Amino acid sequence: MNLLIMGPPGAGKGTQAGGIAEHYKVPAISTGQLFRDNIALGTALGRTIEGLIAAGNLVPDEVTNAMVFDRLAKPDVRKHRGFLLDGYPRTLEQAAALDAELQRLRMRLDGVIALTADPASLVSRMLKRAEIEGRADDNEETIRTRIEVYGAETAPLLTLYGERGLLIDVDADGTVDEVAQRIRSALSERLDRR
Ligand code: AMP
């Protein structure tokens, strides 16, 4: 199963991605987490992108694409015959690059989970998360930038995947378990129809 999970910052993509990946036995690949790992390790990539992430801006497409394609080439993707990409693609350019890479790998997307959330709830959800996880980019100013960037750069992808019939909208307001249950039933309904 080759899946994407999308949604505005604070919708709970990372949390839900873990559960879905476990259920379908595919690796969850989070670009945000890969970037944070690079920053924590002090790699050359980490040093280049640190400022962008702290400000809530996107990492350039070429850098992000290269990192994702490298990750998709790892043996676990082949072994489990699938992946769940969390937080990628985030721009139309990234989506086009992913299409080309998947074609090269003779793979195709099976579905795009789109978490939807009440915009008013996003900032408070993220501030709450900041207390728990202590992420450097979870302060109010950066959160607002990230929500704006999502609307301008990433939301257009919903139309793209909607036109391809891949979009699976899931209401992300509710407890982690409630949302996980919604995702599972939406996915199994979709797979049964194939
Ligand atoms: P996330 O953990 O998905 O919220 O991502 C945290 C931050 O990492 C984002 O605010 C961006 O700065 C950066 N980032 C994550 N994924 C991407 C991507 N696909 N393209 C560009 N920047 C990204």
Side-chain angles (χ1 to χ4, degrees):
M1 273 251 279
N2 305 326
L3 297 169
L4 309 183
I5 184 162
M6 294 182 56
K13 289 188 298 291
T15 308
Q16 294 300 337
I20 303 163
E22 203 172 308
H23 188 77
Y24 290 100
K25 308 215 173 349
V26 290
I29 302 172
S30 154
T31 41
Q33 193 55 51
L34 289 173
F35 288 139
R36 284 189 289 280
D37 291 346
N38 273 278
I39 294 170
L41 290 170
T43 65
L45 171 65
R47 288 195 298 274
T48 318
I49 62 174
E50 198 164 10
L52 287 169
I53 294 196
N57 291 317
L58 294 183
V59 173
D61 291 332
E62 318 78 67
V63 176
T64 308
N65 291 336
M67 181 181 73
V68 172
F69 300 165
D70 210 45
R71 181 63 189 83
L72 287 177
K74 295 266 184 323
D76 59 343
V77 172
R78 193 152 303 231
K79 183 170 149 227
H80 296 287
R81 288 205 261 128
F83 56 78
L84 170 64
L85 283 170
D86 158 13
Y88 178 91
R90 255 175 158 98
T91 65
L92 288 167
E93 288 76 6
Q94 290 180 13
L98 177 64
D99 283 343
E101 182 65 5
L102 291 181
Q103 198 172 16
R104 199 181 70 77
L105 296 169
R106 298 187 200 293
M107 296 174 98
R108 59 198 294 186
L109 291 176
D110 295 304
V112 178
I113 302 156
L115 295 181
T116 57
D118 168 15
S121 71
L122 295 175
V123 178
S124 60
R125 282 169 85 135
M126 288 169 85
L127 289 174
K128 197 150 91 198
R129 180 173 79 186
E131 283 172 25
I132 303 165
E133 295 178 15
R135 263 176 61 169
D137 58 347
D138 275 350
N139 61 71
E140 199 157 347
E141 195 191 331
T142 306
I143 290 170
R144 295 205 187 278
T145 306
R146 287 160 63 200
I147 293 174
E148 269 169 40
V149 169
Y150 178 81
E153 304 278 350
T154 310
L157 301 186
L158 298 172
T159 311
L160 176 82
Y161 291 126
E163 283 167 1
R164 294 187 193 174
L166 288 173
L167 212 58
I168 306 164
D169 280 315
V170 176
D171 178 4
D173 284 317
T175 65
V176 170
D177 286 347
E178 280 165 359
V179 178
Q181 189 51 51
R182 275 178 218 146
I183 295 176
R184 260 207 292 279
S185 34
L187 275 176
S188 62
E189 204 178 292
R190 172 174 197 96
L191 293 179
D192 290 349
R193 277 199 273 120
R194 289 201 310 176

